[in-house]
């Protein structure tokens, strides 16, 4: 049967309508079609839900693991002072800076263009016995500790690694790869070693700053540091806030893969959902996923669909909360999610409609 005007209206509006019955009816309409009508129905269904999503690429996470601009400026000033504005860089001057202010490790890493893990690996190249991890360096940089022999030894190894990187005695690009790859040091301030660092310390053109953004992104480090946190705070926290505001008891998975695994084992459900409610003997499970590109949307759709199927086998109600630009790039993946959840797919803009689901609405006021 061809799509009628009422069918088209139902499919196009399903993503923003509160009533879960109407949402489920839109899924039923889609599944009743075949051939080109089925394709059209899926497209309309996905478009209706895409209309409720919004991009999040403009969101830059905040958090304690990254220094604020004033704090970074202070650390840079200390590093510059200890090295004579980078004219006298050696193991002694670097160790002095790191000892007096561990936060100087941040601007020092930015000169090298290295993450904590990459610097830790570099330290092992100059001192194979080094046991310093990326996590240890992060703690050192952000949480000054009392002086100790072990700390002094680590600082000495950091200085040795920094000098080795800038001197290009480690982390070299093989001749066979130079046609296709740059070194992280192939940038204006480190192209000539510490000499060009000192030159640029006196000031660089604005165009150089813009080019740095062009090739690396002004917020790249902090986005990488908070890649998991962004999803947690963008969708998971608002979901938790919604339940707490309505006195609904819930179980929330811990962060990362280990948190999802622990929830899966606790509930006997794989994959483990982000939320289950009520927190004892759950009847509803919820998975939340942000996707800012099509590939991510496709992969995350697969996880939601697998959870919905596993939940259905257990007699549980599965819901999804999705957002981000990527879902509009994978209409088929989004349609599959909507169908798998029987229309119980929401976004940040329609999050409050979770409370229109009878099974969730019945839990209001029960947490106390």
């Amino acid at each position: 049967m061809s799509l009628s005007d009422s069918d088209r209206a139902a499919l196009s509006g399903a993503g923003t309508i509160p009533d879960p019955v109407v949402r489920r009816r839109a899924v039923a309409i889609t599944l009743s079609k075949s051939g080109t009508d089925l394709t059209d129905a899926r497209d309309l269904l996905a478009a209706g839900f895409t209309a409720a999503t919004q991009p999040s690429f403009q969101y830059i996470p905040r958090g304690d693991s990254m220094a604020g601009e004033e704090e970074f400026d202070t650390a840079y000033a200390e590093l510059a002072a200890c090295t004579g504005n980078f004219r006298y860089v050696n193991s002694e001057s670097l160790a002095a800076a790191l000892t007096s202010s561990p936060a100087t490790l941040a601007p020092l890493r930015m000169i090298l263009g290295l993450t904590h893990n990459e610097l830790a690996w570099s330290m092992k190249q100059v001192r194979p016995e080094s046991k310093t991890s990326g996590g240890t360096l992060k703690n050192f940089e952000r949480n000054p500790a009392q002086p100790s022999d072990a700390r002094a030894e680590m600082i000495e190894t950091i200085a040795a690694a920094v000098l080795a990187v800038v001197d290009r005695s480690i982390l070299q690009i093989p001749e066979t790869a130079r046609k296709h790859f740059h070194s992280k040091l192939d940038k204006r301030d480190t192209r000539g070693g510490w000499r060009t660092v000192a030159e640029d310390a006196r000031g660089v053109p604005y165009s150089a700053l813009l080019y740095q953004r062009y090739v690396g992104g002004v917020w790249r480090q902090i986005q990488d540091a908070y890649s998991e946190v962004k999803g947690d705070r963008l969708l998971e926290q608002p979901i938790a806030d919604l339940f707490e505001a309505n006195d609904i008891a819930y179980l929330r998975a811990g962060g990362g893969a280990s948190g999802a695994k622990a929830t899966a084992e606790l509930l006997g459900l794989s994959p483990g959902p982000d939320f289950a409610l009520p927190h004892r003997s759950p009847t509803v499970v919820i998975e939340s996923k942000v996707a800012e590109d099509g590939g991510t949307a496709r992969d995350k759709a697969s996880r939601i669909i697998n959870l919905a199927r596993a939940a259905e086998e257990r007699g549980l109600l599965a819901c999804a909360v999705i957002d981000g630009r990527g879902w509009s790039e994978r209409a088929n993946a989004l349609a599959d999610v909507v169908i798998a959840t029987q229309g119980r797919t929401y976004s940040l803009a329609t999050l409050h409609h979770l409370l229109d689901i009878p099974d969730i609405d019945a839990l209001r006021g029960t947490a106390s």
Side-chain angles (χ1 to χ4, degrees):
M1 183 183 296
S2 298
L3 284 170
S4 65
D5 289 343
S6 62
D7 288 342
R8 292 179 179 277
L11 294 168
S12 298
T16 53
I17 202 155
D19 191 343
V21 175
V22 177
R23 287 169 168 257
R24 196 161 56 247
R25 189 180 303 135
V27 171
I29 291 171
T30 303
L31 296 177
S32 70
K33 306 302 176 183
S34 60
T36 57
D37 288 327
L38 174 59
T39 301
D40 290 345
R42 286 172 59 88
D43 288 345
L44 285 169
L45 186 68
F49 280 82
T50 298
T53 63
Q54 57 187 350
S56 60
F57 55 76
Q58 72 273 30
Y59 289 55
I60 301 298
R62 296 181 185 273
D64 294 336
S65 74
M66 302 293 288
E69 188 170 357
E70 289 186 9
E71 187 179 356
F72 188 92
D73 286 348
T74 299
Y76 173 84
E78 178 69 16
L79 178 61
C82 288
T83 59
N85 212 25
F86 302 101
R87 294 191 303 272
Y88 312 109
V89 181
N90 51 45
S91 56
E92 291 78 15
S93 62
L94 291 179
L98 292 165
T99 301
S100 64
S101 176
T104 57
L105 182 59
L108 199 53
R109 285 192 304 105
M110 294 306 99
I111 291 172
L112 309 181
L114 299 182
T115 66
H116 294 103
N117 288 339
E118 290 165 350
L119 179 56
W121 189 92
S122 302
M123 291 167 67
K124 288 179 172 59
Q125 301 312 296
V126 296
R127 304 276 171 82
E129 69 276 13
S130 173
K131 301 289 192 246
T132 303
S133 67
T136 301
L137 289 176
K138 183 182 293 186
N139 288 333
F140 169 79
E141 182 180 302
R142 301 294 293 135
N143 301 297
Q146 292 298 317
S148 68
D149 290 343
R151 185 167 175 268
E153 185 177 344
M154 182 179 71
I155 287 173
E156 182 183 333
T157 306
I158 292 172
V162 168
L163 294 171
V165 171
V166 176
D167 292 344
R168 303 198 188 216
S169 57
I170 61 172
L171 303 185
Q172 299 162 336
I173 305 296
E175 186 67 39
T176 54
R178 289 179 190 171
K179 181 179 178 181
H180 304 288
F181 294 96
H182 290 289
S183 163
K184 283 193 171 185
L185 298 180
D186 291 340
K187 49 188 176 61
R188 61 169 293 144
D189 61 322
T190 50
R191 190 172 287 119
W194 294 110
R195 175 183 59 80
T196 46
V197 171
E199 289 174 359
D200 275 8
R202 295 196 292 269
V204 297
Y206 183 47
S207 62
L209 171 63
L210 296 182
Y211 185 70
Q212 182 273 328
R213 293 181 184 178
Y214 174 72
V215 298
V218 65
W219 298 105
R220 186 73 265 157
Q221 286 279 335
I222 195 165
Q223 285 182 306
D224 290 346
Y226 286 99
S227 58
E228 289 185 1
V229 174
K230 183 176 180 179
D232 292 346
R233 293 182 182 172
L234 190 63
L235 289 183
E236 288 192 26
Q237 193 55 53
I239 294 171
D241 291 343
L242 178 70
F243 293 153
E244 288 172 10
N246 288 273
D247 205 22
I248 295 173
Y250 64 90
L251 172 69
R252 181 179 180 182
S258 59
K261 181 180 179 182
T263 305
E265 292 173 352
L266 179 65
L267 300 177
L269 189 67
S270 183
D274 291 324
F275 291 88
L277 53 153
H279 65 305
R280 294 191 181 92
S281 301
T283 57
V284 179
V285 293
I286 301 171
E287 185 73 3
S288 62
K289 288 288 177 275
V290 176
E292 285 302 336
D293 62 78
T296 302
R298 181 192 58 229
D299 295 342
K300 293 187 174 182
S302 178
R303 181 180 177 86
I304 295 171
I305 292 164
N306 288 338
L307 174 63
R309 288 171 180 165
E312 185 178 9
E313 291 175 2
R314 287 273 306 275
L316 303 175
L317 208 64
C319 305
V321 179
I322 57 99
D323 223 318
R325 178 174 58 94
W327 295 102
S328 63
E329 298 177 11
R330 284 290 187 274
N332 271 329
L334 179 53
D336 287 339
V337 168
V338 174
I339 290 169
T341 60
Q342 289 291 299
R344 295 182 298 272
T345 297
Y346 304 88
S347 66
L348 199 57
T350 60
L351 190 61
H352 55 289
H353 291 326
L354 277 169
L355 301 175
D356 292 301
I357 298 173
D359 301 66
I360 297 179
D361 183 49
L363 297 174
R364 293 200 207 203
T366 60
S368 300

